[in-house]
Amino acid sequence: MKKILLSAPIIFFLLTLGFLYRGLENDPKHLPSALIGKNIPTFELRTLDAENVLTQEQLLGQPFLLNVWATWCYACRIEHPMLVELSKRGVKIIGLNYKDKESLAGDWLDDKGDPYIFSIFDPDGKLGFDLGVYGAPETYLVDAYGIIMHKRVGVLDERIWQNEFKDKYYALENAIK
Amino acid sequence: MRYLLLFLISLLISVLNAEQLITFSDDAYLKRYQNLLEELRCPKCQNQNLADSNAPISNDLKEEIQRLLEQGLDDDDIKRALTERYSDFILYDPKFNKNTYFLWLAPFIVLLIGFWWVYSMSTKNYSSQSKDRDLEK
């Protein structure tokens, strides 16, 4: 009993150490995702270079990646080739053009290639706000019923695709076949 | 002297610019607006509240809060609207829920363990010392 008592401060110290060590590896910039497991927000927006108004209903039916991008976003520039590559592999990506100018966005896609099935045009950031967007680029995995399954803030690269998205995406795709 | 004058002028200009930023239909909204900005955290920056932050996202959120205030939502509704999108991260005063109960209770638990430890140590030591003394006798 006495041994336990004497070692209590050491145990407490080690626990604290472990707790703090875990904290070192946590990314303080990472926000827990409030929308995982929830439906994508309702919206009424048109797509880039098109007049027809789109709602969340039209996104349903197949799993897809929702990629938040903008021409003013430097990291989007880095991310773009990866999205083009994914679209070549047959991954369905829908863009959300966030707080951008339409002409600039059009030029960007003409210039760098368009990996998106279409891009929702959200110049006021309204859908962006409802999604809790705080740092473009952001990528969401959405299932065929419009439920958000996963979210990544920051550049989507091959490693993140393999580790976080790939298996989930193909599982969802196989589920509807 | 000239620099002092320049300094005063620039100060004056900045003060003049600092007015006229946000207007509300009701003055009561301004007070609540300021309180909310103090209590809510910028999602993009580390440890700045919305009031302190000039990040684009903070300005967006400020506009949104202004809009929600004008719509007549109360403070809790506004906070709920924001946490539904940006999670509890943006609350500087986190609510007591399954994610935070440890955070809130840990100090009291540690304190209790501390009391227990000091108490046990003192009684143990006392009894063992008195035992030693008894043996010496």
Side-chain angles (χ1 to χ4, degrees):
Chain A
M1 188 61 194
K2 203 176 172 190
K3 259 188 187 159
I4 297 174
L5 279 172
L6 280 172
S7 55
I10 299 170
I11 292 168
F12 182 69
F13 171 73
L14 288 176
L15 278 176
T16 313
L17 206 68
F19 187 70
L20 292 177
Y21 183 75
R22 239 192 103 232
L24 274 183
E25 291 178 357
N26 279 346
D27 180 4
K29 291 199 175 74
H30 179 80
L31 263 71
S33 305
L35 272 90
I36 303 291
K38 297 196 179 144
N39 275 303
I40 42 173
T42 55
F43 65 90
E44 260 180 59
L45 293 164
R46 59 187 191 82
T47 55
L48 274 180
D49 295 321
E51 290 304 316
N52 58 325
V53 172
L54 202 71
T55 67
Q56 67 285 353
E57 298 286 327
Q58 274 123 305
L59 306 184
L60 309 184
Q62 55 184 16
F64 63 94
L65 297 183
L66 182 67
N67 178 253
V68 182
W69 66 282
T71 56
W72 47 261
C73 149
Y74 179 73
C76 300
R77 202 173 296 266
I78 298 168
E79 184 186 59
H80 198 81
M82 181 63 199
L83 297 176
V84 174
E85 168 64 27
L86 284 177
S87 74
K88 277 182 194 151
R89 291 182 208 164
V91 177
K92 293 173 189 74
I93 311 172
I94 293 172
L96 172 60
N97 183 252
Y98 174 62
K99 303 193 87 172
D100 208 351
K101 287 208 176 67
E102 191 164 23
S103 58
L104 291 176
D107 290 347
W108 163 293
L109 293 180
D110 291 342
D111 197 38
K112 298 174 192 296
D114 186 350
Y116 307 111
I117 302 173
F118 52 83
S119 275
I120 304 161
F121 182 51
D122 186 19
D124 303 322
K126 213 198 144 300
L127 177 56
F129 173 73
D130 286 340
L131 276 168
V133 171
Y134 68 96
E138 292 189 7
T139 306
Y140 298 77
L141 175 62
V142 184
D143 78 359
Y145 309 99
I147 311 279
I148 296 171
M149 308 302 281
H150 188 64
K151 171 185 179 178
R152 177 78 198 187
V153 178
V155 173
L156 175 71
D157 57 19
E158 186 67 48
R159 189 176 58 86
I160 289 166
W161 166 252
Q162 298 282 350
N163 289 344
E164 296 184 14
F165 284 93
K166 193 180 167 197
D167 293 345
K168 285 180 189 168
Y169 175 81
Y170 286 113
L172 289 176
E173 194 159 69
N174 287 330
I176 59 161
K177 267 169 195 167
Chain B
M1 188 59 209
R2 213 171 57 181
Y3 286 112
L4 186 68
L5 200 67
L6 265 175
F7 174 71
L8 286 176
I9 290 172
S10 59
L11 202 68
L12 190 69
I13 290 171
S14 58
V15 168
L16 285 177
N17 280 339
E19 297 298 313
Q20 53 85 29
L21 270 179
I22 287 157
T23 47
F24 284 95
S25 58
D26 184 342
D27 282 348
Y29 288 151
L30 184 65
K31 186 77 199 134
R32 285 174 54 205
Y33 175 77
Q34 283 163 340
N35 281 337
L36 281 168
L37 294 201
E38 295 286 333
E39 279 175 46
L40 294 169
R41 180 176 174 186
C42 161
K44 185 68 186 168
C45 10
Q46 294 304 295
N47 292 334
Q48 269 188 319
N49 58 25
L50 290 179
D52 283 341
S53 167
N54 251 329
I57 182 70
S58 299
N59 293 332
D60 290 354
L61 294 189
K62 285 179 210 170
E63 277 173 30
E64 195 62 36
I65 291 167
Q66 186 181 6
R67 206 176 56 78
L68 295 175
L69 276 170
E70 292 283 358
Q71 278 181 12
L73 271 73
D74 66 32
D75 290 2
D76 283 342
D77 286 338
I78 293 175
K79 283 186 195 166
R80 198 170 309 119
L82 288 166
T83 45
E84 271 169 13
R85 294 163 172 87
Y86 291 92
S87 77
D88 288 342
F89 179 94
I90 62 158
L91 298 175
Y92 259 126
D93 189 7
K95 279 174 289 192
F96 189 85
N97 61 25
K98 69 175 180 358
N99 290 322
T100 55
Y101 72 89
F102 184 71
L103 187 74
W104 284 110
L105 295 182
F108 301 107
I109 295 169
V110 170
L111 198 68
L112 281 178
I113 292 172
F115 279 138
W116 168 79
W117 185 72
V118 170
Y119 174 76
S120 322
M121 282 303 274
S122 59
T123 50
K124 280 279 158 184
N125 275 355
Y126 179 76
S127 57
S128 64
Q129 269 169 14
S130 58
K131 223 178 271 169
D132 290 347
R133 246 178 282 139
D134 288 345
L135 285 175
E136 277 164 23
K137 277 177 197 168

